Amino acid sequence: MLGTGSAAAQEDWTGYHVGGALVASRAEMTADGNLSDLLDSQGIDDRLFAPSGSALGLRVGRDWQQGNLVLGLVAEYQAGHASAGADDARIGQILQNPDVSLSRNRRVVGRIGYVAGDWLSYALAGQDVARFRMTGTVEAEGDIEGNSLGLGVEHRVTPHLSTFAEYSQTDFDPIPGSGGQLDLSRKDLRLGASFRF
């Protein structure tokens, strides 16, 4: 009976949690439409920039468990940035050593998962907002929004401590001012821990 009671306590995911994560990101900014056709005609790849970097994410969330099913909401803010120059030297010359960066990411996601013992496997979906900045001949700066999808796994180490790993991809809206000619997507890997109460 004692063993059964301990397992049941470990499986109880209902409640609030706060935590942090180390986030490794890699993004791609690609040409679309007429711009893509123009670059192809010049033998230049559609991928113009590939910003990468790391950030510290701080999060707060709430989970609800019913049987083996868990539903949750998570809000996160990332302090850090990903940046890169042009992939192709010819683009770098045309735009006078441009640089593209993403920073100050904010996200709200919902998740649905399945509990097995001390483990929670889940899928997530939500929205990210990031600060976009481009320098060089063409300059732009502002917030951009994107839709995120991902998968994760969380392990209950103690009744109040859990560790997690997440992989997600965010597809942002076309870059403002690009006339729909520039697309941006980002892949994130998160490793972190949460205090649950």
Side-chain angles (χ1 to χ4, degrees):
M1 294 295 293
L2 290 177
T4 302
S6 177
Q10 289 181 331
E11 293 173 6
D12 183 9
W13 294 81
T14 298
Y16 293 93
H17 56 91
V18 295
L22 180 62
V23 186
S25 301
R26 182 173 178 82
E28 288 190 356
M29 183 171 150
T30 56
D32 198 5
N34 294 333
L35 178 58
S36 176
D37 295 338
L38 176 62
L39 295 176
D40 287 343
S41 70
Q42 301 299 315
I44 300 176
D45 192 81
D46 288 349
R47 191 181 81 172
L48 304 176
F49 300 88
S52 62
S54 60
L56 178 63
L58 301 176
R59 57 168 51 190
V60 60
R62 175 77 157 93
D63 290 322
W64 297 266
Q65 181 175 350
Q66 183 65 42
N68 289 97
L69 183 67
V70 172
L71 299 176
L73 288 173
V74 178
E76 181 181 276
Y77 175 80
Q78 293 177 21
H81 74 282
S83 63
D87 271 14
D88 192 296
R90 289 168 290 182
I91 295 296
Q93 292 174 350
I94 293 171
L95 298 180
Q96 297 182 1
N97 299 317
D99 183 85
V100 164
S101 66
L102 291 170
S103 61
R104 290 186 286 178
N105 192 77
R106 293 90 75 194
R107 71 192 311 239
V108 176
V109 297
R111 65 179 187 171
I112 180 169
Y114 183 84
V115 174
D118 294 334
W119 293 87
L120 171 65
S121 301
Y122 58 91
L124 61 88
Q127 188 173 59
D128 284 37
V129 178
R131 190 70 174 176
F132 172 83
R133 185 168 186 263
M134 182 174 180
T135 60
T137 302
V138 178
E139 295 193 355
E141 185 171 4
D143 287 341
I144 55 175
E145 299 179 356
N147 297 316
S148 297
L149 293 173
L151 296 171
V153 61
E154 190 164 354
H155 179 230
R156 200 68 170 266
V157 180
T158 73
H160 296 292
L161 177 66
S162 63
T163 58
F164 62 87
E166 280 182 8
Y167 174 81
S168 62
Q169 176 168 328
T170 303
D171 293 317
F172 290 99
D173 295 335
I175 301 302
S178 71
Q181 304 287 302
L182 295 173
D183 296 326
L184 184 66
S185 64
R186 189 189 65 219
K187 297 178 175 65
D188 296 322
L189 176 63
R190 290 175 174 79
L191 299 174
S194 293
F195 178 79
R196 311 186 67 88
F197 53 96

